[in-house]
Amino acid sequence: MRLRPYAEEDRDLTAQLERDAEVMRHLGGAAPAGRAERVHERRLERRGEEWYRTILAGPDDTPVGVVAVFRTMWEGRDIHELGIMLLPGRALRHGLGAAAVRLVVEEVRAARTVREIHAFIGADNRAAAMVARRTGFRDTGPCALDYEGEPIHCNHWVLPLETGEPAVGE
Ligand SMILES: CC(C)(COP(=O)(O)OP(=O)(O)OC[C@H]1O[C@@H](n2cnc3c(N)ncnc32)[C@H](O)[C@@H]1OP(=O)(O)O)[C@@H](O)C(=O)NCCC(=O)NCCS
């Protein structure tokens, strides 16, 4: 398994992920018409300043998902959030999630510009919670959020990183 930068050729991958009821079960459900296209375009627009990565697996490097660390607003703060989606079939529930998260976190850590990564995980999304725990995130408690406008009851997980910048107040 390896990651490569998200690219124009991943339009169909995003469409498959966003429209799949199983993938989207904990993310507000399968996407309504037009959303996958907007998600794809936003990933391309922001790929210079955020970490959008395509997950490749198998001997033929087949694209099987997307993992990302992207900027978002939360409670009036500009934060970095983790997101990951794997395609059903060869990827979802095959133990790839933690490895993909570790790889993107290492890229973010190496940049030394991000103080912490946040993850908002559906309260009953046990696979995602296990992946978060295994990759060093800490559960800070319940919160209410939305995915692309769909309300989600979730837990707020945080992974602190070293930045090389002094903390506020230091
Ligand atoms: C969340 C996700 C990235 C996890 O990656 P994954 O590779 O599928 O996860 P794994 O196969 O390693 O499963 C993690 C653990 O959860 C367990 N698990 C999986 N599904 C489960 C379920 N429905 N209930 C309980 N445990 C479950 C697995 O058994 C595994 O534990 P084990 O290693 O001890 O056997 C992936 O399932 C996914 O893309 N889900 C859809 C999108 C999503 O919800 N993303 C997260 C948004 S925050």
Side-chain angles (χ1 to χ4, degrees):
M1 197 274 299
R2 67 183 184 92
L3 306 184
R4 67 152 166 76
Y6 186 86
E8 177 61 45
E9 69 200 80
D10 298 316
R11 184 182 300 266
D12 286 348
L13 173 65
T14 289
Q16 283 180 63
L17 291 165
E18 293 280 330
R19 291 183 194 146
D20 190 282
E22 189 184 354
V23 174
M24 302 305 294
R25 184 149 56 107
H26 302 286
L27 296 168
R35 189 174 82 194
E37 193 62 22
R38 287 198 300 278
V39 169
H40 172 71
E41 294 300 335
R42 193 169 62 231
R43 287 173 179 167
L44 291 180
E45 280 165 22
R46 297 191 184 177
R47 60 187 161 172
E49 48 181 314
E50 299 171 359
W51 290 262
Y52 288 103
R53 299 290 179 263
T54 303
I55 303 166
L56 306 175
D60 50 355
D61 272 350
T62 305
V64 294
V66 175
V67 64
V69 173
F70 52 93
R71 290 174 67 165
T72 190
M73 289 299 287
W74 182 70
E75 294 192 336
R77 287 167 64 199
D78 191 9
I79 63 163
H80 284 82
E81 179 178 348
L82 173 77
I84 178 166
M85 292 179 180
L86 295 168
L87 279 176
R90 286 169 55 186
L92 192 75
R93 307 223 175 85
H94 282 67
L96 289 173
V101 169
R102 280 194 192 98
L103 287 175
V104 77
V105 164
E106 280 318 305
E107 287 193 53
V108 177
R109 197 190 300 277
R112 293 176 70 83
T113 55
V114 175
R115 184 171 299 283
E116 56 194 12
I117 303 176
H118 300 250
F120 299 94
I121 298 180
D124 55 354
N125 192 347
R126 294 180 47 196
M130 280 180 81
V131 164
R133 187 169 291 114
R134 278 176 186 161
T135 53
F137 284 75
R138 188 170 55 86
D139 185 355
T140 69
C143 65
L145 208 76
D146 71 277
Y147 178 84
E148 299 290 332
E150 302 294 333
I152 300 179
H153 294 288
C154 57
N155 281 31
H156 178 198
W157 296 69
V158 179
L159 176 68
L161 300 177
E162 300 286 326
T163 62
E165 295 284 323
V168 176
E170 272 182 12

